[in-house]
Amino acid sequence: MPDVMSSSRLIGVGVGPGDPELVTVKGVNALRAADVVVVPVMDTGERGRAEATVLHYVPQEKILRVVFALNERTDRARREAAWDAAGAKVAELLAAHGVVAFATIGDPNVYSTFTYLALTIGELVPGTVVETVPGITAMQDLAARSGAVLTEGTEPLTLVPVTAGAAVLKDALAGPGTVVAYKFGRQAAEVAEALRETGRIEDAVWGSALGLPEESIRPAAELDGEPLPYLSTLIAPARREGGRGGKL
């Protein structure tokens, strides 16, 4: 593999939760300025949400799909092999291009595939400059679309990936602040149970495919325990008393 100039740059660009209008101006500029835009997929025939969003701003010929084991949690060897192959492919791109952008849904520093890619590239191509462009998160978009207020005054905000286990979510719900849950589609029944046990289900709201034609936003109390899309978001607002400014 050719040596990579120290000026080569890998830029993680957050493209938001799905609505192309929620990509920032800085994000659009970074995508357009890059020599190639990498999008993560689970197989080469798939058009993922990141790619669908990027296509609103750059031509198809500038986009390259790279396979990541995005949903692999049990077979570590398979996951590591996929990461190694993806890192090697991006390293090749950096050898041939000055600027490679990696488009990720949401924000590149919030539960993003980009984090692992950046670590891999740091080992494979030490001279690469790694940067990120922040993106709007699903919890922000769901709050805007549903009217749920994320924080007031001194309230804390806890973000929980339910892949860590329903017990982690239940502990967070027992606290005083707003709780946001990500990645809980397969554990929808456990999430609903945790909300009911902690008395937080009435004000909670669930959403998926935000900003897309198949968007669904519903009160959490309406969920029947059936599996939901993997990229589902839940907001359980803090218990609020005392009217306006009660938490100041």
Side-chain angles (χ1 to χ4, degrees):
M1 183 182 299
D3 290 335
V4 177
M5 299 285 290
S6 60
S7 58
S8 293
R9 294 161 60 211
L10 175 64
I11 307 175
V13 181
V15 296
D19 183 345
E21 292 187 351
L22 291 180
V23 184
T24 67
V25 173
K26 186 170 184 176
V28 171
N29 290 339
L31 293 170
R32 289 176 173 169
D35 299 303
V36 62
V37 179
V38 172
V39 293
V41 294
M42 288 186 286
D43 66 73
T44 53
E46 171 200 36
R47 174 175 290 175
R49 191 176 298 185
E51 180 179 353
T53 304
V54 170
L55 278 169
H56 286 265
Y57 300 105
V58 301
Q60 181 73 66
E61 57 268 23
K62 190 174 175 176
I63 298 172
L64 180 68
R65 296 173 184 170
V66 174
V67 176
F68 288 78
L70 298 173
N71 64 343
E72 181 58 73
R73 289 184 172 76
T74 56
D75 189 337
R76 179 166 183 170
R78 178 178 177 273
R79 184 177 68 240
E80 294 292 337
W83 281 119
D84 290 343
K89 181 61 180 178
V90 173
E92 288 180 11
L93 293 172
L94 286 164
H97 303 283
V99 182
V100 174
F102 181 92
T104 177
I105 59 170
D107 181 277
N109 293 304
V110 180
Y111 300 129
S112 170
T113 307
F114 181 74
T115 302
Y116 310 112
L117 175 63
L119 287 171
T120 303
I121 292 301
E123 296 173 356
L124 292 176
V125 196
T128 303
V129 176
V130 177
E131 303 172 1
T132 58
V133 176
I136 290 174
T137 62
M139 65 176 167
Q140 291 170 290
D141 196 15
L142 180 58
R145 293 176 185 276
S146 68
V149 175
L150 287 171
T151 56
E152 286 185 11
T154 58
E155 294 170 354
L157 173 64
T158 304
L159 176 58
V160 177
V162 183
T163 46
V168 178
L169 174 62
K170 194 177 296 184
D171 287 344
L173 289 168
T178 293
V179 176
V180 176
Y182 278 0
K183 308 182 191 180
F184 65 90
R186 295 176 184 172
Q187 295 168 274
E190 291 92 331
V191 168
E193 180 183 357
L195 287 166
R196 289 189 177 95
E197 286 185 7
T198 55
R200 301 285 293 268
I201 198 163
E202 292 304 320
D203 295 327
V205 61
W206 164 82
S208 71
L210 300 172
L212 302 175
E214 63 271 29
E215 173 182 281
S216 180
I217 297 175
R218 295 161 58 190
E222 293 182 3
L223 300 180
D224 56 12
E226 290 298 311
L228 300 170
Y230 174 69
L231 292 175
S232 293
T233 300
L234 177 110
I235 298 175
R239 300 180 179 91
R240 295 184 177 117
E241 300 174 356
R244 186 175 62 180
K247 292 290 184 71
L248 293 178

